[in-house]
Amino acid sequence: EAEVAQSPRYKITEKSQAVAFWCDPISGHATLYWYRQILGQGPELLVQFQDESVVDDSQLPKDRFSAERLKGVDSTLKIQPAELGDSAMYLCASSFPTDTLNTEAFFGQGTRLTVV
Amino acid sequence: DAKTTQPPSMDCAEGRAANLPCNHSTISGNEYVYWYRQIHSQGPQYIIHGLKNNETNEMASLIITEDRKSSTLILPHATLRDTAVYYCIVRPHLTQGGSEKLVFGKGTKLTVNP
């Protein structure tokens, strides 16, 4: 069964350091999402891509976060510099367009980031 | 903000049906009801979605009221492995080429007891 792949699974970094997360969506999924989930809360969208273009990054803290999907396939989310408040689970998801039959978004296992 | 309201927690006995309610009184005509669940420390898992007709798959059944202002997710025979946070989400389907985001609320923490 196809899966959304994320790496690393866990990351510990010191504050002020740079950190990057990688996501490989399910083959053929044009839409890719990055979510952040703070402990005890539901996931919150950071950025959404349609192919290589950003569709929604309204909740992305652009002073320190960046995301790219250069060839419209895999994606990288970067934080520089990391702050203590960035400790969270970072989830990647992908889906077909919602004008198709199979519209559900599939999530990866996430990257658990701890900033110390 | 999430457009749904769910109870924060529920309990269910193993082997019994778990019925998880969701209110979405401001749902629009092109918005579907999606359900996801999240087992501790894992990514959310898709369960089921529907527009206005009841839906059933191998995991669950989704019952949507006629006015579409509320729905119920039914796990017919709950097991210990169904213990998770269940999220009810309304998501518009676009008419051409795009995918709308999933907006998560706080969900319902379902605990299945032995």
Side-chain angles (χ1 to χ4, degrees), chain B residues 16 18 37 39 59 75-86 110-112:
Chain B
R16 304 298 293 269
R37 73 180 183 183
I39 296 169
M59 291 183 68
L75 308 179
H77 305 286
T79 70
L80 299 180
R81 288 176 293 182
D82 293 321
T83 292
V85 178
Y86 288 76
L110 175 69
T111 302
V112 181

Side-chain angles (χ1 to χ4, degrees), chain A residues 10-94:
Chain A
Y10 302 93
K11 180 70 177 180
I12 300 174
T13 191
E14 294 183 347
K15 63 180 181 178
S16 79
Q17 295 299 304
V19 63
F21 315 126
W22 177 79
C23 172
D24 190 12
I26 291 173
S27 179
H29 281 187
T31 305
L32 185 147
Y33 311 86
W34 283 102
Y35 283 83
R36 176 173 61 186
Q37 185 173 26
I38 297 171
L39 194 63
Q41 300 183 16
E44 175 190 27
L45 182 74
L46 290 175
V47 62
Q48 176 183 344
F49 289 92
Q50 188 73 13
D51 298 308
E52 65 275 9
S53 300
V54 173
V55 174
D56 184 348
D57 64 355
S58 57
Q59 300 303 311
L60 187 71
K62 299 181 185 64
D63 57 336
R64 299 185 299 107
F65 286 64
S66 64
E68 62 183 14
R69 193 185 184 197
L70 293 177
K71 297 183 179 179
V73 180
D74 58 339
S75 176
T76 302
L77 178 69
K78 298 179 181 178
I79 308 174
Q80 181 173 16
E83 296 181 351
L84 296 177
D86 297 331
S87 295
M89 174 80 86
Y90 290 83
L91 294 158
C92 179
S94 68

